[in-house]
Amino acid sequence: MRRQGWRWLLIGVLGLLVTGCFTPQGPEFGDGSAVPEEASRVRLPVRPGPDGTWTVNSPQDGLLGQGRVLVRRENPDRRGWRLTLPAEFALTSRRPGSAHSAFVQDHEVVLVGGREGRRGPSAIAGLDMENGHLAWRLPVEPNNQVFLNASGAGAVLVADCRSDSCRLTGVNSRTGRRVWSRTEPGAVRVLDSCQADAFTADPLSAFAHDHCRLYLVTHDHVAILDMDDGRPHEIPGLRLPRGDIDRITENGGRITLSTAPAKGTCRATVAAGPAENPDGAEDLAWQHTFVWDQPQAPRDPHTGCRWDRTLPLLVGYSLVLPEAGSTLVLNPYFGIWGQYSRRLAPGEYLTADMRRMEILHAPGRPDRAFDETNGPVRPDGLSPAARPLMSRFWQDGRRLLLLDREDHPLWEGASDCQAFMHQGAGPGVFLTYCDGPDLVSLRPVHRD
C-alpha cells in the first residue's frame, strides 16, 4: 500500500509539472499580437517635472514624488496615501544623497533634505511606508555626505571626510537612531558602488551589481564597510591607480575603479582586479591610463576636461573608456588583455537603450548598432529621440506606439509624460502613462 501511494503521488506531481509546462502563456506586450486594454484610470496624483518624469518613481512600491508631494498609489495589496513634504525635503534632485533627493531601496525610503544657502544635505528623514508620514528626522552637520545601504544595522551612513580621516556614523533607517560611530584615520573618501559613484546607475545594465556596497578609500587601499558596525575590511591585493579614486563597481567577483581626470592634463586611470584574492587571481588584474575626453560632454570648469561624471562607463555589455582621439571599448572582465577591444571613430560614442542594445552615435550620421549584425536601431518613421519602453513598444515625444513582428502598428496613443513599464497587481507587465489630467495603466490582452 505504501508503494502504491508513492506511485500515485509521483503521477500527481508529474501531472502538475506537465500541466504547468503546457499551460498557454498569457498575452504580453511585444509578443506580436497582444494589444493594450485600459486596466485603470485615476486622477494624476502628482504632476511630473518639466521633462515629463518624476524625481521619485518606484513602480514596485507604487511611489510617485515631485516637489513637495509624495504619493503611494493604491492597489489591492497596499493602501494608498498622499504626503505633503516639508520644504526642507522637497524632491527636486535625482542624485541620491544630494540635498532634496531620496533613497529608495528594498522598500526603504530615506529622504535627504536641504536648505537655502546651505551646501549639501541639512537633514535626513525616514518614511513610514505603511502610513505615509515621516517617522523620524535627524540633522546633518555641514559638509557631511549621506549614503544608504539597506543590508546592515546602520543602513544610513553619514560621513564627514577630511584630508586625513573620515568620521562615520551608522543610522538605523527605521528609527533614526545612531547605532555606531567611528573615526577612520587615513581614509579620504566613501564611494557607493550602486548609486552616484557607480560606473552605471542603470538597474537593467547587463552588468547590474552583484553587491550594493559602500567602500572606504585611503591613499593606498580600498576597504568594504560593514554596515553592522562600521568596520572596514580591506580588499587584499588590489593595486590602486595613481590619482583620486572617483568611481567604483563590483561585479562577478571583480572590482573596477576609475580615477577622475586630472586638472590640466585630463589623464585618468581605470583599473580592475579581484574583489577577493584567490590563488592566481592577480593574473586577471589590469590598468589602463588615458587622456579623458568625452565627445558628448561639455568642458568641466574645474578640470578643463570634456568630462561629465553622470555619463556611464558601463554601456550595455561593454566598458567604455572615453580616450582622446578615439573611444576605447573593452570587455569589462578582461579589459586591455581581452581580444574584443575596439576603437571607435573620432567623435563617436556608445550608448545603450532599455533593451541593452548598444548604439553608436556620431555627429552628422544616423545612429547605428554597435554590433553590425543587429537589426535597425529603431523602426522606420520614428525620430532619433524615440525611446523603447520594451520590445516593440515605443514612445516618440507624446506618441505611444506598439508594433507587431513586422513593425506594423498594432496600437497608437499619446502621453503627456514619460510612460513607464512595471509589474501590475496581477500577472504580466503593465504600461502607465499620462492622459491629460489622468494617470492610465494598460494591460496586454489578446486581439479579437
Side-chain angles (χ1 to χ4, degrees), residues 54 91 161 164 194 283 398 403:
W54 293 266
L91 298 167
C161 289
D164 57 355
C194 291
D283 294 339
R398 294 186 68 251
L403 305 174

Side-chain angles (χ1 to χ4, degrees), residues 141-362:
E141 294 295 322
N143 301 313
N144 283 12
Q145 293 177 282
V146 177
F147 305 87
L148 175 69
N149 188 293
S151 62
V156 184
L157 176 70
V158 179
D160 182 9
C161 289
R162 309 295 175 93
S163 60
D164 57 355
S165 68
C166 284
R167 179 67 177 173
L168 309 174
T169 302
V171 178
N172 185 289
S173 59
R174 294 187 180 276
T175 66
R177 183 176 63 87
R178 296 178 177 90
V179 293
W180 52 261
S181 187
R182 59 189 298 118
T183 297
E184 286 297 328
V188 294
R189 192 163 191 185
V190 175
L191 292 178
D192 186 337
S193 64
C194 291
Q195 294 285 352
D197 303 321
F199 275 45
T200 176
D202 177 13
L204 298 179
S205 168
F207 296 93
H209 316 282
D210 290 343
H211 305 284
C212 282
R213 290 173 166 166
L214 299 180
Y215 295 85
L216 194 65
V217 180
T218 73
H219 293 292
D220 56 8
H221 70 266
V222 172
I224 300 168
L225 274 181
D226 187 331
M227 295 301 289
D228 283 323
D229 57 15
R231 294 183 182 277
H233 300 280
E234 183 178 346
I235 301 172
L238 182 63
R239 187 164 60 95
L240 296 192
R242 283 186 170 185
D244 296 328
I245 305 298
D246 181 68
R247 281 194 267 187
I248 188 167
T249 287
E250 180 177 347
N251 179 266
R254 304 273 291 168
I255 295 283
T256 307
L257 308 166
S258 172
T259 65
K263 184 177 181 179
T265 67
C266 298
R267 292 182 69 82
T269 300
V270 171
E276 298 176 357
N277 197 27
D279 292 342
E282 58 271 10
D283 294 339
L284 299 177
W286 60 269
Q287 290 194 11
H288 182 66
T289 300
F290 60 99
V291 175
W292 193 300
D293 188 65
Q294 287 169 300
Q296 70 273 46
R299 293 206 176 272
D300 175 66
H302 175 68
T303 63
C305 312
R306 286 203 296 179
W307 174 48
D308 183 346
R309 193 177 184 272
T310 66
L311 294 175
L313 299 181
L314 279 172
V315 177
Y317 295 88
S318 301
L319 176 60
V320 178
L321 305 186
E323 193 160 355
S326 58
T327 295
L328 181 61
V329 181
L330 305 170
N331 178 295
Y333 189 83
F334 296 103
I336 56 174
W337 308 120
Q339 58 179 318
Y340 301 107
S341 62
R342 172 176 165 185
R343 285 200 178 274
L344 305 184
E348 288 184 337
Y349 60 93
L350 198 63
T351 65
D353 63 21
M354 294 181 67
R355 302 164 297 174
R356 301 180 184 169
M357 182 180 184
E358 296 166 333
I359 300 169
L360 273 177
H361 288 271

